[in-house]
Amino acid sequence: MRRLVIALLAATALGACTMMPHYERPQSPVPNRWPADTPAPAAGAVAAPGAGAAPPIVSADQIGWRDFFIDPRLQRLIVIALENNRNLRIAVLNVSASEAQFRIERGNLFPAIAATGSGLSERLPANGGIPLGGAGGSSGNALVPSGAGATTFRYYTAGIGFTNYELDLFGRQRSLTTQAFEQYLAQGESRRSTQISLVAEVASDYFAVLADEVLVKITQETLQSETESYQLTQAMYAHDTTTLLSLRQAESAVDAARASLAQYQRQLAQDGHALTLVLGQEVPADLPSGKDLSAEGLLAAVPEGLPSELLTHRPDVLGAEHTLRAANANIGAARAAFFPEIQLTASGGTASGRLNGLFRAGTGTWTFAPTITLPIFNGGQNVANLDLARIEKNVAVAQYELAIQTAFREVSDALSARGTYVEQRHAQEALVAADAEAVRLAQMRFRSGVDSYLATLDAERSLYSAQQGLVSVRQAELANRVTLYKALGGGWQQNTTSGG
């Protein structure tokens, strides 16, 4: 038994060897700095919330979503989604499954020790010369005397041991264990990526609902205004102070507003359903009061002037690197297949022909059966497996570089859009103010009989279109800031001090 223990310790020491290639992270295929924001806000324009503030000390991936999404109603919706969303629940379960797979693979590094007990009762015929245990017995070391009568033999054993334990001299099992561990880590990053996407999706759907509510309100106000104008035109036509054409134009404006109202009400309901789906439950009625779409302070500032190497903090990039490390470990397992495989089977215990004498003195027994297998010819399978492992690593390298390039583009696009959205929003606000004044003047001219209703109709249509455009720009601006926060790797922490 002492020799067996010494042999196991020596095997463990030798098993520390591995044939995995030394891992080196590939060079980043993108510049170290982001493209400059395009273009800067014009002189005199009001900066976006937080745009002129000093860059925070922490990077975006360290800013918790509670610190970025300031609106209390939105915060509550994100909490509900994190608790109930099925996609996130699937991602968490996939992590648990991957962790269990890693523990299964790690168990192969150790011998599977089991206690066993067996009993054999066998009646032999009276033809002599038949070994104990019969034709299928494994313990026959005695013969039935020739010419003797039929005899019944009994044999009992009890012991502890292991079977087919592979000495990991060349690191095959350790490489496979490392591969499983890296795959487990990759699943963990996939869960983080799913959570970031979920937080961003809740915010985007919430802003879509806010925008729909504003559009419904604007359309209702427009319908009311057009209805009043139609009633006024109808009265003027009854007194022969306007034409039938003006009356029909006013009527068409009312019908157009009614159609738009039905469209936006339908859109509001559908976007509400989308929000319900991402939440995983119905939107509760006891939500805290929130802010309007046009209100400042819905979102906090996103850090500026950070190096592009921060992309390596993104969970999808980290997941791609763990997949690359797993492919690198698989090469070690493929290399080890070219070398001898040594397996041990050993056990120790007691054996007796009588059950009550199983643990008496002198019944001790042990077995030790090492086997070695040296591959000589297998039709080139080992060479093909090694080639496949190397190709899969090259694929993983390309996927890792592609993940970085994709992330760089996402951040660059969001940065480039940030300044232009601010400019566009201010221009759209000025357009709404100008169109509102044009409507006021056109209505005065029509009611004074100076101009036809066509000028009023055109002015009202322009105002309505400008108001719709302002809502769309504001929603797109908020969505872009959420995209930038997500692209920089933010959104998986609840706050700046603890993970979510």
Side-chain angles (χ1 to χ4, degrees):
M1 183 62 68
R2 183 172 61 255
R3 294 176 182 176
L4 180 60
V5 173
I6 293 175
L8 287 175
L9 292 176
T12 302
L14 291 173
C17 301
T18 180
M19 304 195 72
M20 287 186 296
H22 177 69
Y23 174 77
E24 292 184 0
R25 175 184 289 178
Q27 293 292 327
S28 176
V30 297
N32 188 45
R33 306 296 298 181
W34 312 108
D37 292 16
T38 59
V46 180
I57 299 176
V58 296
S59 58
D61 65 304
Q62 296 174 316
I63 298 178
W65 59 261
R66 289 185 183 276
D67 298 328
F68 182 74
F69 300 102
I70 306 175
D71 185 5
R73 178 181 290 260
L74 178 55
Q75 288 183 353
R76 176 58 181 154
L77 292 175
I78 292 175
V79 170
I80 294 174
L82 293 177
E83 294 174 350
N84 297 281
N85 183 265
R86 269 50 176 186
N87 287 332
L88 182 59
R89 188 174 300 176
I90 292 172
V92 172
L93 293 175
N94 286 337
V95 173
S96 299
S98 183
E99 190 266 343
Q101 187 63 43
F102 160 66
R103 289 190 286 113
I104 292 172
E105 195 65 50
R106 185 182 59 181
N108 293 328
L109 295 174
F110 308 96
I113 301 175
T116 60
S118 64
L120 174 64
S121 297
E122 187 172 8
R123 182 175 178 82
L124 301 178
N127 57 359
I130 299 178
L132 177 64
S138 59
S139 57
N141 56 4
L143 297 177
V144 178
S146 179
T151 307
T152 300
F153 289 92
R154 293 179 175 83
Y155 189 70
Y156 303 95
T157 62
I160 187 171
F162 55 87
T163 304
N164 296 332
Y165 168 58
E166 180 182 348
L167 290 181
D168 198 25
L169 300 180
F170 303 100
R172 188 180 77 90
Q173 291 294 343
R174 299 180 73 85
S175 296
L176 293 176
T177 301
T178 301
Q179 180 190 25
F181 180 67
E182 295 295 339
Q183 290 172 341
Y184 160 59
L185 295 180
Q187 282 291 344
E189 297 301 334
S190 178
R191 183 205 66 82
R192 283 182 53 203
S193 181
T194 301
Q195 179 172 322
I196 292 174
S197 299
L198 174 60
V199 171
E201 186 177 0
V202 172
S204 297
D205 289 348
Y206 176 67
F207 293 146
V209 170
L210 291 184
D212 293 339
E213 291 175 346
V214 175
L215 289 172
V216 168
K217 181 180 179 181
I218 291 175
T219 306
Q220 288 174 337
E221 293 173 350
T222 301
L223 176 59
Q224 181 179 358
S225 175
E226 297 292 356
T227 301
E228 293 174 353
S229 297
Y230 172 71
Q231 293 172 348
L232 176 61
T233 306
Q234 197 174 32
M236 294 174 64
Y237 177 73
H239 291 82
D240 293 329
T241 58
T242 189
T243 65
L244 180 62
L245 175 61
S246 297
L247 178 62
R248 293 295 175 252
Q249 289 173 339
E251 184 179 4
S252 67
V254 173
D255 293 336
R258 288 173 55 197
S260 296
L261 179 60
Q263 173 189 349
Y264 288 127
Q265 287 175 336
R266 179 177 65 252
Q267 184 172 310
L268 174 60
Q270 291 174 344
D271 287 341
H273 298 160
L275 182 59
T276 299
L277 176 62
V278 75
L279 293 181
Q281 68 170 54
E282 293 292 332
V283 179
D286 59 345
L287 290 175
S289 58
K291 298 182 179 180
D292 186 75
L293 184 71
S294 60
E296 301 295 342
L298 279 171
L299 302 175
V302 177
E304 302 178 21
L306 300 175
S308 65
E309 64 184 18
L310 287 174
L311 291 178
T312 57
H313 298 174
R314 277 181 39 146
D316 56 337
V317 176
L318 289 174
E321 184 173 9
H322 287 305
T323 301
L324 173 58
R325 288 178 176 271
N328 186 71
N330 193 38
I331 294 179
R335 285 177 174 177
F338 287 89
F339 295 88
E341 180 180 322
I342 300 175
Q343 292 185 340
L344 302 179
T345 298
S347 65
T350 64
S352 174
R354 292 184 300 176
L355 185 60
N356 58 4
L358 189 59
F359 297 101
R360 291 183 179 179
T363 60
T365 181
W366 60 269
T367 61
F368 180 67
T371 60
I372 182 170
T373 303
L374 177 63
I376 297 177
F377 176 76
N378 60 359
Q381 290 184 0
N382 287 342
V383 176
N385 284 332
L386 180 57
D387 291 341
L388 177 61
R390 288 170 174 167
I391 293 172
E392 288 177 341
K393 179 182 178 180
N394 292 334
V395 171
V397 170
Q399 291 174 336
Y400 172 73
E401 293 173 343
L402 179 61
I404 292 181
Q405 290 175 334
T406 302
F408 186 83
R409 178 190 172 179
E410 290 176 356
V411 176
S412 300
D413 287 348
L415 285 174
S416 299
R418 178 166 56 182
T420 58
Y421 274 126
V422 174
E423 273 295 294
Q424 185 179 0
R425 175 166 56 86
H426 291 314
Q428 197 71 27
E429 289 173 347
L431 178 62
V432 169
D435 285 343
E437 179 64 14
V439 168
R440 187 184 69 83
L441 295 176
Q443 288 177 343
M444 290 178 59
R445 290 174 61 84
F446 170 69
R447 293 170 183 175
S448 301
V450 178
D451 208 343
S452 67
Y453 189 76
L454 180 60
T456 303
L457 182 61
D458 288 340
E460 289 177 344
R461 286 174 177 173
S462 297
L463 174 60
Y464 184 47
S465 177
Q467 291 174 328
Q468 291 173 311
L470 178 59
V471 174
S472 298
V473 170
R474 179 56 176 165
Q475 180 187 356
E477 180 187 6
L478 292 172
N480 180 73
R481 292 173 63 185
V482 172
T483 299
L484 177 59
Y485 175 64
K486 171 189 171 184
L488 288 171
W492 68 275
Q493 290 182 330
Q494 291 190 13
N495 48 56
T496 55
T497 58
S498 63

